[in-house]
């Protein structure tokens, strides 16, 4: 019925609005991008004004997995395990070009893009990406969160 | 002591075991026989005039594709030593043939050799006789091969999970 | 099963992988029959700086044994350097110690220059010193800030990252990037300093000094901080030397070894600075050593800025100074065109800072290694050929056959590059001696016997940087 759809749509957008402004990130930091992640999280390029300022270091308590920095084949099972342990709804941000495509590390030790092991929602390229790029990616993620069907 | 004196002292003590020495670019280097390595290194550490109490670096080089070294041993193990009281350095090298990839361990002399030797085993496949726990340091256990060897292609991947791209 | 196996000689691969599996999946029962608990501070952990795994055997809160497992960020630096020509290794060296990338860059360049036997210009040496010290300050700021944050002092972290931002703005004005700068080149630098560099540095240092003063007030006599750091994670002097620990950790244990003093390179022998040395080798001494080193680094950079030599102002592409452009025209009219620029070039704004008059000040006048400035490349046949010979495959920088070891004082200790060359344009072997590998090997000495809660401050004061540790 039309009225039921109206209510679920409104509920969806309300939930989407709430979820996009309260992002609890799991910063899976490995490498150089971690320095730019720190810079984005700190006072100059504050990420807290987006509501995303509280990192949660437990996968059960986080909803966005920020994969920051190169993932090697040794680290890949750990990453997959952390992703599997996260509860729904969850999103993945590939921060830095090493996580998007492997970067310029085309060698025996590097995973050529984490989308070979996880489903990725937002890609933030850059080596490392400037904090402005990170915030742009975060805003795209917020749009994606708000626009999606909210399950609960 | 300056580098020339260091090499002279080593030569006078180890005569035949010192195969060669040079001082290119100011780095004084001694090439010794592999069998004499434990004695040479112990002398370097314990001799009062030399006093090399710090093993700065332990690494290896694979000379497989080096032009002009076809009849020399394939690998060379390289020790960079530093002396804190005397502030001098030396480089000790020894050749390791491909059919006998065992080198005596330096762990009893300098405990840091533990990890350096694990890395050489990981990257080159040189075994260290007497090393208590020779496992891979930088790569995962399931990795096959030794990547810094010249015959290992740089992009041959062995993923633990995910596609074999 | 105990974390460190007591089986002698080589471990059979099957047992090793089974053990790894057991740790990873959390299964497996201690065979020894004791009640010790094996806890894994796993690779993805906020205080492990991402990528180190410490498998601890605990007796209550006491740490009995630790097994430190590294390698989670192994990115094949040494293998990748063998693939391309010498200057192509520059971005890889940036990402070694990614908090002080300029030091790695310049260390690698200096190693290749030593192999080639060329001498860079004096101005280049001074600039390398200034930029290295700025990098060192940002490394120490990150280390002290992060380790304070892990103890709960979040404010100090924010203050120090704020100071780091000012320094990064200066670096961005010089190199174009904040973090991965690839500024060094064999034979010199990518570009000279911008005109407002000195003002920017003074402003950044003033901010840094304010932040350091505030952090001192917040931390140095803070009862909680002192209780957690003093007497914890002690590394004795003998252990430090036996484990080849260098840098702030060695100096905190009482050994005044600093590569800048022991084997001075660039222009450190002309500059006046102190080396802070600790006494007891605990975390608190390491913190004090790092805070003092930041002040010393600022002192070095200011001295070097004051003494920065100029360079020739008007030179032609051969480095010969000339008085008036009219002279050029007259010579051309007389038919003496050899060595003259054929076309006058206006460079694109993207190449600002790399004009010939700046280029010659910071690059060695060595045609075999250094790319000619862009006016020469685009404006004369000799320049074009020179550029071509340096860039194309098979040509390029070709050092003589041989090997060289060059050490610089990185933020964590002696950063050494051992380069073997076979005479071609690709390095045969590049070995980076990582300054934070020895402290990580010695970590078990610092942790065993302490408490679980002491792992975090000790590990934080080691300043492990994954890019450097695992290369």
């Amino acid at each position: 019925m039309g009225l039921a759809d109206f209510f679920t749509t409104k509920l969806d957008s309300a939930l989407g609005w709430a979820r996009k402004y309260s992002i609890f990130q799991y910063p899976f930091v490995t490498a150089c991008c971690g320095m730019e992640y720190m810079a984005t999280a700190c006072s100059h390029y504050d990420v807290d004004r987006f509501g995303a300022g509280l990192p949660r270091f437990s996968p059960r308590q986080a909803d966005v997995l920020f994969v920051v920095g190169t993932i090697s084949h040794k680290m890949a099972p750990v990453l997959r395990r952390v992703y599997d342990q996260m509860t729904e709804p969850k999103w993945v941000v590939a921060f830095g070009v090493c996580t998007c495509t492997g970067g310029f590390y085309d060698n025996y030790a590097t995973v050529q893009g984490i989308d070979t092991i996880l489903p990725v929602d937002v890609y933030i390229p850059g080596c490392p990406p400037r904090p402005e790029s990170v915030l742009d990616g975060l805003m795209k993620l917020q749009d994606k969160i708000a626009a999606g069907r909210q399950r609960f | 002591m300056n580098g020339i004196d260091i090499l002279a002292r080593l030569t006078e003590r180890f005569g035949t075991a010192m195969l060669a020495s040079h001082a290119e670019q100011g780095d004084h280097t001694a090439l010794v026989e592999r069998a004499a390595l434990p004695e040479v290194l112990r002398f370097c550490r314990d001799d009062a005039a030399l006093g090399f109490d710090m093993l700065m670096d332990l690494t290896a080089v694979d000379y497989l594709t080096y032009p002009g070294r076809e009849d020399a041993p394939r690998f060379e193990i390289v020790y960079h030593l530093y002396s804190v009281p005397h502030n001098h350095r030396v480089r000790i090298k020894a050749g390791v043939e491909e059919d006998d990839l065992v080198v005596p361990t330096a762990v009893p002399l300098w405990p840091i050799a533990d990890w350096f030797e694990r890395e050489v085993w990981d990257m080159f496949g040189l075994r260290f006789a007497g090393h208590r726990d020779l496992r891979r340091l930088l790569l995962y256990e399931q990795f096959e091969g030794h990547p810094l060897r010249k015959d290992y292609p740089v992009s041959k991947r062995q993923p633990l999970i995910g596609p074999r791209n | 099963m105990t974390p460190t196996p007591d089986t002698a000689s080589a471990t059979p691969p099957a047992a090793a992988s089974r053990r790894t599996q057991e740790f990873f999946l959390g299964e497996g029962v201690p065979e020894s029959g004791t009640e010790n608990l094996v806890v894994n501070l796993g690779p993805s952990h906020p205080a492990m700086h991402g990528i180190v795994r410490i498998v601890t055997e605990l007796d209550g809160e006491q740490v009995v044994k630790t097994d430190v497992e590294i390698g989670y960020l192994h990115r094949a630096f040494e293998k990748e350097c063998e693939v391309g020509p010498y200057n192509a290794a520059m971005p890889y060296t940036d990402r070694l110690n990614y908090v002080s990338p300029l030091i790695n860059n310049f260390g690698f360049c200096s190693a290749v220059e030593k192999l080639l036997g060329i001498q860079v210009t004096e101005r280049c040496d001074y600039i390398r010193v200034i930029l290295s010290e700025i990098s060192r300050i940002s490394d120490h700021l990150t280390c002290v800030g992060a380790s304070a944050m892990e103890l709960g002092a979040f404010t100090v972290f924010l203050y120090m990252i704020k100071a780091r931002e000012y320094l990064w703005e200066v670096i961005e004005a010089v190199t174009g990037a904040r973090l991965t700068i690839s500024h060094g080149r064999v034979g010199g630098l990518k570009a000279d300093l911008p005109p407002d560099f000195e003002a920017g540095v003074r402003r950044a240092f003033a901010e840094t000094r304010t932040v350091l003063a505030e952090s001192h007030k917040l931390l140095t006599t803070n009862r909680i901080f002192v209780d957690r750091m003093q007497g914890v994670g002690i590394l004795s002097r003998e252990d430090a030397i036996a484990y080849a620990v260098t840098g702030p950790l060695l100096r905190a244990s009482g050994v005044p070894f600093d590569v800048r003093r022991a084997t001075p390179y660039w222009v450190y022998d002309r500059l006046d600075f102190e080396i802070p040395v600790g006494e007891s080798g605990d975390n608190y001494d390491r913190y004090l050593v790092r805070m003092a080193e930041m002040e010393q680094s600022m002192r070095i950079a200011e001295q070097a800025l004051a003494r920065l030599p100029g360079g020739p102002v008007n030179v032609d592409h051969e480095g010969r100074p000339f008085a008036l452009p009219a002279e050029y025209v007259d010579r051309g009219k007389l038919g003496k065109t050899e060595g003259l620029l054929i076309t006058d070039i206006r460079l694109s704004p993207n190449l600002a800072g790399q004009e010939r008059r700046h280029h010659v000040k910071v690059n060695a006048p060595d045609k075999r290694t250094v790319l000619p400035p862009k006016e020469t490349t685009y404006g004369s046949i000799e320049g074009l050929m020179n550029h071509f010979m340096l860039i194309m495959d098979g040509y390029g920088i070709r050092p003589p056959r041989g090997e060289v070891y060059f050490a610089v004082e990185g933020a964590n200790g002696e950063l050494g590059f051992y380069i073997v060359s076979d005479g071609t344009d690709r390095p045969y072997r590049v070995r980076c001696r990582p300054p934070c590998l020895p402290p990580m090997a010695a970590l078990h000495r610092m942790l065993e016997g302490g408490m679980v809660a002491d792992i975090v401050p000790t590990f934080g004061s080691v300043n492990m940087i994954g890019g450097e540790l695992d290369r």
Side-chain angles (χ1 to χ4, degrees):
Chain A
M1 243 183 80
L3 199 61
D5 287 340
F6 170 78
F7 275 124
T8 46
T9 320
K10 278 296 165 206
L11 190 60
D12 262 356
S13 55
L15 270 179
W17 175 90
R19 279 181 179 152
K20 82 175 183 187
Y21 283 128
S22 64
I23 289 179
F24 286 96
Q25 353 150 0
Y26 185 108
F28 195 93
V29 171
T30 47
C32 354
C33 279
M35 299 300 115
E36 286 292 15
Y37 173 78
M38 273 186 197
T40 315
C42 287
S43 359
H44 204 86
Y45 295 100
D46 198 10
V47 83
D48 202 6
R49 54 196 162 124
F50 293 89
L54 286 177
R56 287 273 161 265
F57 288 100
S58 163
R60 305 287 189 205
Q61 299 170 4
D63 44 17
V64 178
L65 179 64
F66 269 75
V67 189
V68 182
T70 320
I71 300 296
S72 63
H73 285 299
K74 192 169 180 179
M75 194 63 164
V78 177
L79 174 63
R80 181 74 216 184
R81 197 174 171 83
V82 165
Y83 176 75
D84 288 336
Q85 286 177 342
M86 283 170 73
T87 52
E88 296 277 338
K90 58 186 173 184
W91 296 272
V92 176
V93 173
F95 185 129
V97 80
C98 284
T99 49
C100 296
T101 56
F104 66 164
Y105 289 109
D106 186 6
N107 53 42
Y108 57 85
T110 310
V111 172
Q112 300 294 295
I114 59 168
D115 49 9
T116 53
I117 43 184
L118 304 173
V120 175
D121 291 290
V122 175
Y123 294 86
I124 306 179
C127 192
R130 277 197 64 110
E132 288 93 345
S133 298
V134 177
L135 295 174
D136 185 36
L138 184 67
M139 285 159 67
K140 285 193 162 55
L141 178 69
Q142 286 182 327
D143 291 341
K144 185 165 184 170
I145 292 174
R149 266 205 63 189
Q150 308 299 333
R151 287 170 296 166
F152 55 94
Chain B
M1 289 171 83
N2 66 23
I4 303 180
D5 293 338
I6 298 174
L7 292 178
R9 193 165 172 78
L10 286 173
T11 318
E12 109 184 65
R13 171 86 168 77
F14 290 105
T16 47
M18 290 265 291
L19 300 174
S21 65
H22 70 79
E24 285 169 23
Q25 278 89 24
D27 293 339
H28 298 271
T29 309
L31 180 68
V32 303
E33 268 172 27
R34 183 195 348 182
L37 260 180
E39 275 178 44
V40 173
L41 295 174
R42 183 171 291 279
F43 180 68
C44 283
R45 188 189 70 157
D46 294 337
D47 182 47
L50 294 180
F52 287 114
D53 48 0
M54 207 183 252
L55 174 65
M56 224 18 131
D57 195 15
L58 199 178
T59 184
V61 187
D62 178 1
Y63 283 103
L64 183 66
T65 54
Y66 199 92
R69 281 189 60 135
E70 285 77 13
D71 29 341
R74 177 172 171 188
F75 292 99
E76 215 170 63
I77 190 134
V78 181
Y79 298 78
H80 283 95
L81 301 175
Y82 175 75
S83 165
V84 175
H86 304 295
N87 189 22
H88 52 218
R89 295 171 189 261
V90 79
R91 182 189 301 143
I92 310 275
K93 303 199 295 184
V96 181
E97 283 88 14
E98 191 164 0
D99 43 5
D100 183 20
L101 293 175
V102 182
V103 180
T105 184
V107 173
L109 298 170
W110 300 284
I112 183 58
D114 188 340
W115 274 32
F116 282 144
E117 288 173 358
R118 277 176 62 186
E119 188 184 335
V120 171
W121 157 245
D122 191 0
M123 294 285 129
F124 288 96
L126 301 187
R127 288 203 155 273
F128 287 86
H131 193 287
R132 173 184 63 94
D133 177 24
L134 197 65
R135 53 194 159 110
R136 288 188 181 268
L137 187 72
L138 299 178
L139 287 170
Y140 38 98
E141 295 289 346
Q142 297 86 336
F143 196 92
E144 280 162 35
H146 300 280
L148 269 178
R149 290 190 177 186
K150 288 293 179 181
D151 44 10
Y152 191 96
V154 69
S155 44
K156 175 181 166 189
R157 288 180 248 275
Q158 301 176 39
L160 283 172
I161 64 173
R164 218 161 251 279
N165 48 353
Chain C
M1 280 213 182
T2 51
T4 43
D6 291 320
T7 53
S9 74
T11 318
S17 68
R18 195 182 71 233
R19 199 170 43 251
T20 314
Q21 278 281 83
E22 286 188 25
F23 281 142
F24 188 60
L25 296 172
E27 298 147 17
V29 175
E31 257 176 21
S32 53
T34 63
E35 295 287 335
N36 289 348
L37 181 69
V38 174
V39 169
N40 175 45
L41 274 80
S44 177
H45 188 287
M48 295 293 119
H49 298 274
I51 43 104
V52 165
R53 182 181 182 204
I54 301 182
V55 183
T56 55
E57 188 179 329
L58 298 177
D59 175 18
E61 287 267 327
Q62 199 98 24
V63 176
V64 172
K65 249 189 193 171
T66 57
D67 181 22
V68 179
E69 190 179 332
I70 64 171
Y72 288 95
L73 194 62
H74 180 64
R75 295 186 284 193
F77 162 76
E78 298 177 0
K79 189 86 178 175
E80 288 277 9
C81 280
E82 295 170 13
V83 171
Y86 281 88
N87 273 328
M90 224 50 69
Y92 293 105
T93 60
D94 274 347
R95 289 149 178 86
L96 281 176
N97 183 339
Y98 35 78
V99 222
S100 56
L102 286 153
I103 305 181
N104 316 328
N105 259 202
F106 298 149
F108 180 79
C109 292
S110 296
V112 184
E113 286 153 13
K114 183 175 171 185
L115 190 57
L116 283 163
I118 63 178
Q119 178 67 33
V120 294
T121 65
E122 201 186 345
R123 186 179 167 89
C124 173
D125 272 340
Y126 273 95
I127 295 178
R128 282 182 176 177
V129 165
I130 298 170
L131 294 177
S132 291
E133 294 308 315
I134 294 180
S135 254
R136 194 189 313 279
I137 298 170
S138 38
D139 193 312
H140 287 331
L141 283 172
T142 315
C143 170
V144 177
S147 98
M149 175 175 70
E150 284 155 15
L151 293 177
F154 200 77
T155 311
V156 173
F157 179 67
L158 290 176
Y159 285 176
M160 291 198 166
I161 300 297
K162 176 185 79 165
R164 193 182 75 171
E165 286 288 334
Y166 284 103
L167 292 169
W168 278 8
E169 271 175 20
V170 170
I171 293 195
E172 194 183 14
V174 177
T175 64
R178 287 145 55 92
L179 188 59
T180 47
I181 41 42
S182 304
H183 194 59
R185 298 283 182 273
V186 177
L189 304 173
K190 187 188 89 177
D192 196 1
L193 300 172
D196 54 352
F197 178 71
E198 186 158 345
V201 168
R202 295 212 187 282
R203 204 170 51 236
F205 281 1
E207 275 301 326
T208 310
R209 286 196 166 102
T210 319
V211 158
L212 285 181
E214 285 171 347
S215 307
H216 262 299
K217 274 195 292 213
L218 282 172
L219 289 179
T220 310
T221 46
N222 184 322
R223 183 60 198 273
I224 300 173
F225 187 77
V226 170
D227 273 351
R228 281 207 74 176
M229 298 279 264
Q230 205 164 48
V232 167
I234 294 180
L235 188 67
S236 69
R237 191 200 151 105
E238 295 70 33
D239 267 347
I241 296 180
Y243 276 92
V245 173
T246 52
L249 274 86
L250 183 66
R251 292 194 276 279
S253 296
V255 180
F257 169 59
D258 188 325
V259 185
R260 296 173 288 177
R261 267 288 148 74
T263 33
Y265 51 94
W266 304 338
V267 289
Y268 281 109
D269 44 358
R270 302 182 213 171
L271 300 172
D272 180 35
F273 60 101
E274 283 164 20
I275 301 178
V277 178
E279 285 168 357
S280 46
D282 59 8
N283 292 338
Y284 191 63
D285 272 359
R286 291 175 201 138
Y287 156 76
L288 289 175
V289 162
R290 287 203 169 96
M291 295 294 270
E293 271 187 20
M294 281 196 260
E295 184 53 53
Q296 293 302 315
S297 285
M298 285 193 268
R299 192 174 151 195
I300 296 174
E302 282 164 351
Q303 285 174 47
L305 261 180
R307 297 187 205 184
L308 193 61
V313 176
N314 277 330
V315 288
D316 66 6
H317 70 289
E318 286 277 312
R320 296 168 299 207
F322 64 94
L324 296 166
E327 221 182 86
Y328 246 39
V329 177
D330 287 338
R331 278 176 62 197
K333 283 180 183 168
L334 294 173
K336 297 186 176 127
T337 53
E338 204 205 74
L340 289 189
L341 276 187
I342 296 174
T343 323
D344 187 28
I345 297 292
R346 283 194 60 173
L347 285 186
S348 149
N350 293 339
L351 293 172
Q354 293 176 33
E355 294 93 358
R356 194 177 53 232
R357 64 182 188 279
H358 300 304
H359 185 272
V360 293
K361 286 197 238 171
V362 294
N363 283 294
D366 191 329
K367 280 181 143 172
R368 293 169 301 143
T369 49
V370 180
L371 284 179
K374 295 291 180 260
E375 289 102 325
T376 318
T377 309
Y378 298 129
S380 74
I381 296 291
E382 290 90 357
L384 183 70
M385 290 304 296
N386 194 3
H387 188 109
F388 178 91
M389 295 297 280
L390 283 172
I391 293 284
M392 294 309 286
D393 245 14
Y395 298 91
I397 302 170
R398 277 175 289 179
R401 293 160 62 109
E403 55 193 357
V404 73
Y405 178 81
F406 186 80
V408 295
E409 177 73 16
N412 284 334
E414 171 166 327
L415 171 69
F417 283 97
Y418 173 61
I419 301 182
V420 177
S421 153
D422 57 352
T424 63
D425 64 330
R426 279 148 213 264
Y428 190 76
R429 168 106 171 91
V430 176
R431 154 83 181 168
C432 163
R433 187 253 178 209
C436 55
L437 189 95
M440 291 301 288
L443 194 65
H444 71 104
R445 302 285 300 201
M446 295 189 248
L447 292 180
E448 282 165 12
M451 307 276 209
V452 142
D454 295 334
I455 295 181
V456 171
T458 309
F459 187 74
S461 67
V462 161
N463 194 25
M464 178 226 64
I465 303 286
E468 191 172 64
L469 179 70
D470 299 332
R471 281 152 289 123

